[in-house]
Amino acid sequence: MTGTDHHIAGLGNLIEWTNISGQNGPKGSAMSTAPQRGMPGYEGYLNERVVALPELLRDGGYHTIMSGKWHLGLTPERSPHKRGFVRSFAHLPACSNHYAYEPELRDKDQIPTFIEASYIALHMEDGEYVRKLPEGWYSSDGYGDKMIDYLREWKESGGSAGPDGNGDRPFFGYLPFTAPHWPLQAPREYIDHYRGVYDEGPDVLRQKRLQRLKELGMIRDDVEAHPVNAEEVKPWDEFSPDEKKKSATAMEVFAGMVECIDHNVGKVVEYLRSIDELDNTFVCFMSDNGAEGAAYEAYPMVQNGVMPHLQKYYDNSLENLGNGNSFIWYGPRWAQAATAPSRLYKAYTTEGGVRVPFTCRFPKNINLNPSGVTAGGITDQFATVMDLAPSILDMAGLKHPAPSYKGREVVSMRGQSFHPWVKGEAERIHPKDFIQGWETCGRAALRCADWKIVFIPKPKGPEKWQLYNLVKDPGEIHDLADQEPEKLKTLLKMWDQYVLETGVIPLCPDLGDFLEATEAQMPENAWMEFDYWKDGARDTPEKFTREPPRFQRTVKSF
C-alpha cells in the first residue's frame, strides 16, 4: 500500500513467535506480543508517516475500491475508508473463520488468547463495523461478489467517463483474500475435486512438484533442494492410516480453498471483460508470503488453551474436515512440499518465506518489450512488493508527494517502478547491486546481487549469520560464511545500514532474554486498540477501544 518497508509503515513485528522449549520468549508459551509495539514503525497499523496508494489514486481522480483482508488497523480511523478507498468491505484482523462461525460469542465464552484473532470475522464497510455478515457467508465468495458489486456501481454511475459523462474516471480495485490462511475450510464442491490426490503424502508431492518445476524451466535441472526441516512433527511413514487420511484431507481442503480463490478472480476478470474494461486494465496477482508451516499442535499454549476450545465447539472428524465448524492446519511437511527447492516457509527470512509468485496482465496500450523474459513470459528479475505502488503510480501518471502530504511529513517510497523495464526502456527493474533487507520475528536477511546473508534463531537455524550465493545455491544449503569472510563482512555492513534506514530493532544475542523480561511487565493485550473478540464489541465499539501508549525514538551521537 505504501511502496516502503513495513518497519517504516507501522507493521514491524506484531508477534514474537517462540518454539516449544521457550527459545526467544517466555518458556512454555507459543507466542507473545512483541514489546517493540508503540515504537515508530511498530504501531501495529498503517501509520501517518506514509501516504497510502489509494489516497494518491483517489486524489488523482480514480474511483478506489477494495474487498477483502485489510489487517492494517482495527478501528474506524485506521480503516481503508480513511486511507483512500471510496468504497471498502474490509476484513480487519489477520484471519478468521471463513464461514463466520462464532459459537463462542453465542455462549459468551472466554476465547483463548492465542486464537482470539483466528475466530472472529470482524468486518467493516465504508468505515462502519458490520454487525452481521450475509447468510451462507464464505470469505472468498463474499469478497469476489462484493468486488463485482462495487465495479457495477462504478460502471452504472458512468464508469471511466464519470457521473456526468465528461472526463476520465478510471478505477483502482484491491481484492485481497483471507484464504488460504488457516483454518482450512472450503465449499465441498471444490474440496471434492482433490479427493485422493495427496494420499501418497507430502514427500511424494514435493518430488513431483520439483520435477514439474524443472519441466517448466522454472528451476535448473541441477538445482539442489533444501532438505525438509520438520523435527517438531513425526515423519509421514510413522503416521497411522487414520492420521495419514486426515493429513491428506487437510491438503485437499487447502487445494479447494485455492481453487475457490481462482474461481473468484475469474468472476472479476470476466465481469471486466463483459463491460469492455479488461483490455484497459492492469491486473496482477501474488501471494503475500511462503506457505504456512507452523505445527501449532506442538505448542504448549495451543495444547493447554486452544485445544479444549476446539474440542468444545469444532468437529474435526474426517468427514467434517473443511466445513465451517472444523478447524485445522496442515503443518511443516506439506508447506515444504510447496516451497521446495527453497528453505523453510512463512515467517522465515529464507527464500521459502520471502520468495513468492507474481503474475500480471498489462493493458493493450502498453507496448511490452521487457528484457530477459522467456517465451513463456517468465523472468527472474528481482522485484519486491515495494515496487507495486511506484509502478501503479507511474502507469497512472501520478507522482508521490514526499516529503509532505496534506500537512504531514511522509517518507519517500523505497520501491522502484517496473513500468520502464516492461516497456523496454530499462534493462533491469533494480540495479544489479540493489540492496534488500528483511526482518520478522527476530529472523533476518539481506540480499545484494547474487549474495544473501540469513540469520535464523534456533531451533530452525544456527543463530548466527549465514552466507549464500543464490544463483549457485537457491536452496540456501551451503553456508559460505567461513570461505567468504570479506563478502560476509560487506553484507553485514549493508545490514547495519538497513537497520538505520528502516528502524528495525537490532538483533543481539540477548534478544530472547530481553523480550521475555519486557513481556513479563506488560499486561495482556496491552497494545491492542480494540478488543473485538469480546461479546458486544461490534455493537458498542467505543466501550472496547483504548489508546495504547506511543513512543518516540531518539538517536544520540557519542
Side-chain angles (χ1 to χ4, degrees):
M1 290 289 101
T2 67
T4 194
D5 190 279
H6 66 104
H7 296 93
I8 294 173
L11 280 298
N13 288 0
L14 301 187
I15 298 296
E16 170 61 20
W17 294 94
T18 72
N19 66 60
I20 59 175
S21 64
Q23 180 72 34
N24 290 345
K27 188 169 290 187
S29 72
M31 74 174 195
S32 59
T33 308
Q36 302 100 313
R37 278 207 179 176
M39 295 295 287
Y42 290 83
E43 294 89 348
Y45 58 83
L46 201 63
N47 65 28
E48 294 78 20
R49 299 171 65 205
V50 295
V51 55
L53 175 63
E55 293 178 285
L56 299 178
L57 291 171
R58 178 201 59 197
D59 297 348
Y62 277 72
H63 183 66
T64 52
I65 56 179
M66 79 155 283
S67 175
K69 179 176 176 177
W70 179 240
H71 197 204
L72 299 175
L74 294 169
T75 58
E77 61 269 24
R78 317 288 185 210
S79 70
H81 182 68
K82 289 291 188 179
R83 299 311 295 262
F85 283 105
V86 177
R87 298 301 314 273
S88 60
F89 186 85
H91 178 280
L92 300 181
C95 56
S96 69
N97 188 294
H98 296 280
Y99 286 94
Y101 174 72
E102 299 173 357
E104 66 282 347
L105 292 185
R106 177 196 63 208
D107 291 354
K108 299 184 179 181
D109 202 3
Q110 181 64 43
I111 300 174
T113 301
F114 169 79
I115 216 78
E116 61 200 12
S118 308
Y119 287 171
I120 307 301
L122 180 69
H123 287 75
M124 180 175 282
E125 185 162 24
D126 299 340
E128 298 289 334
Y129 291 112
V130 175
R131 298 292 193 271
K132 183 174 173 47
L133 291 168
E135 291 297 324
W137 173 263
Y138 178 71
S139 64
S140 298
D141 291 334
Y143 302 142
D145 290 343
K146 182 63 75 169
M147 176 56 65
I148 292 175
D149 288 345
Y150 287 160
L151 286 169
R152 186 174 289 112
E153 287 180 1
W154 168 78
K155 182 64 176 177
E156 292 176 351
S157 68
S160 296
D164 57 3
N166 297 314
D168 186 28
R169 191 184 63 143
F171 77 90
F172 169 69
Y174 178 47
L175 179 59
F177 296 91
T178 55
H181 198 293
W182 52 261
L184 302 183
Q185 300 166 331
R188 189 62 51 186
E189 61 267 28
Y190 296 110
I191 300 172
D192 288 344
H193 293 168
Y194 301 93
R195 293 304 185 197
V197 170
Y198 305 106
D199 285 354
E200 293 176 297
D203 298 327
V204 171
L205 177 66
R206 188 171 189 265
Q207 292 307 314
K208 286 181 176 179
R209 288 184 169 180
L210 282 168
Q211 181 59 36
R212 183 62 177 148
L213 288 171
K214 292 176 182 179
E215 292 170 358
L216 291 170
M218 298 182 72
I219 61 174
R220 301 192 311 267
D221 286 340
D222 63 348
V223 162
E224 187 178 359
H226 195 282
V228 172
N229 186 333
E231 288 76 12
E232 64 272 42
V233 296
K234 60 187 179 182
W236 179 257
D237 58 11
E238 294 181 12
F239 278 36
S240 70
D242 286 346
E243 289 173 329
K244 286 182 176 180
K245 190 59 182 174
K246 273 198 169 185
S247 183
T249 301
M251 190 62 193
E252 293 170 4
V253 177
F254 176 84
M257 296 177 81
V258 172
E259 185 178 332
C260 190
I261 292 172
D262 187 54
H263 174 73
N264 280 281
V265 170
K267 285 193 308 190
V268 175
V269 168
E270 286 307 308
Y271 178 74
L272 291 174
R273 194 191 311 276
S274 73
I275 60 173
D276 296 323
E277 291 288 353
L278 183 60
D279 288 342
N280 192 37
T281 303
F282 171 68
V283 181
C284 67
F285 181 91
M286 66 182 298
S287 172
D288 63 342
N289 47 244
E292 166 64 282
Y296 294 103
E297 67 276 14
Y299 293 147
M301 184 178 288
V302 175
Q303 293 171 347
N304 299 332
V306 178
M307 288 305 183
H309 189 84
L310 297 183
Q311 290 164 1
K312 178 178 180 180
Y313 290 115
Y314 287 82
D315 176 6
N316 282 341
S317 60
L318 178 63
E319 61 277 4
N320 197 58
L321 295 184
N323 291 336
N325 64 335
S326 68
F327 198 110
I328 54 172
W329 44 85
Y330 66 15
R333 296 191 182 277
W334 291 111
Q336 288 169 92
T339 59
S342 298
R343 177 185 177 189
L344 293 171
Y345 39 80
K346 175 183 174 179
Y348 288 90
T349 50
T350 53
E351 291 295 279
V354 302
R355 184 183 178 95
V356 299
F358 175 89
T359 184
C360 60
R361 182 185 194 274
F362 286 89
K364 291 289 188 182
N365 65 348
I366 293 183
N367 182 26
L368 302 180
N369 189 31
S371 173
V373 175
T374 67
I378 298 171
T379 178
D380 61 359
Q381 281 267 349
F382 180 82
T384 153
V385 68
M386 293 188 295
D387 298 336
L388 265 176
S391 300
I392 291 171
L393 289 175
D394 193 3
M395 286 186 278
L398 299 172
K399 301 292 185 183
H400 194 276
S404 66
Y405 176 73
K406 294 190 174 179
R408 74 176 194 266
E409 185 177 345
V410 296
V411 298
S412 300
M413 296 184 294
R414 291 174 67 89
Q416 183 75 31
S417 172
F418 50 67
H419 191 211
W421 170 73
V422 164
K423 294 186 295 181
E425 297 172 1
E427 187 175 340
R428 302 183 59 85
I429 299 171
H430 292 279
K432 179 72 172 175
D433 58 354
F434 175 74
I435 298 168
Q436 170 66 44
W438 295 269
E439 187 279 331
T440 183
C441 309
R443 299 148 186 169
L446 181 135
R447 175 174 176 164
C448 179
D450 298 337
W451 293 91
K452 181 181 176 184
I453 54 172
V454 178
F455 182 94
I456 304 296
K458 297 176 182 177
K460 293 291 186 181
E463 209 158 286
K464 67 177 184 178
W465 285 104
Q466 298 174 292
L467 174 69
Y468 300 101
N469 184 304
L470 291 181
V471 172
K472 297 178 180 178
D473 180 24
E476 294 172 311
I477 300 168
H478 305 291
D479 181 10
L480 302 177
D482 292 337
Q483 291 103 301
E484 300 276 358
E486 289 304 312
K487 179 64 69 175
L488 175 64
K489 185 178 179 180
T490 298
L491 266 67
L492 285 175
K493 287 182 179 179
M494 295 177 181
W495 167 258
D496 290 339
Q497 184 63 34
Y498 171 74
V499 167
L500 290 172
E501 291 176 359
T502 60
V504 171
I505 299 297
L507 303 174
C508 67
D510 299 322
L511 180 63
D513 293 336
F514 165 75
L515 292 173
E516 181 173 0
T518 308
E519 181 72 10
Q521 302 174 51
M522 294 174 62
E524 188 70 32
N525 302 314
W527 305 111
M528 297 294 288
E529 291 188 297
F530 180 31
D531 295 341
Y532 62 92
W533 57 89
K534 294 183 178 179
D535 183 44
R538 275 172 282 196
D539 297 318
T540 53
E542 64 279 1
K543 294 182 180 180
F544 299 87
T545 305
R546 58 179 174 271
E547 295 184 10
R550 303 295 175 197
F551 307 114
Q552 296 295 321
R553 180 186 287 114
T554 57
V555 179
K556 297 180 180 180
S557 60
F558 292 93

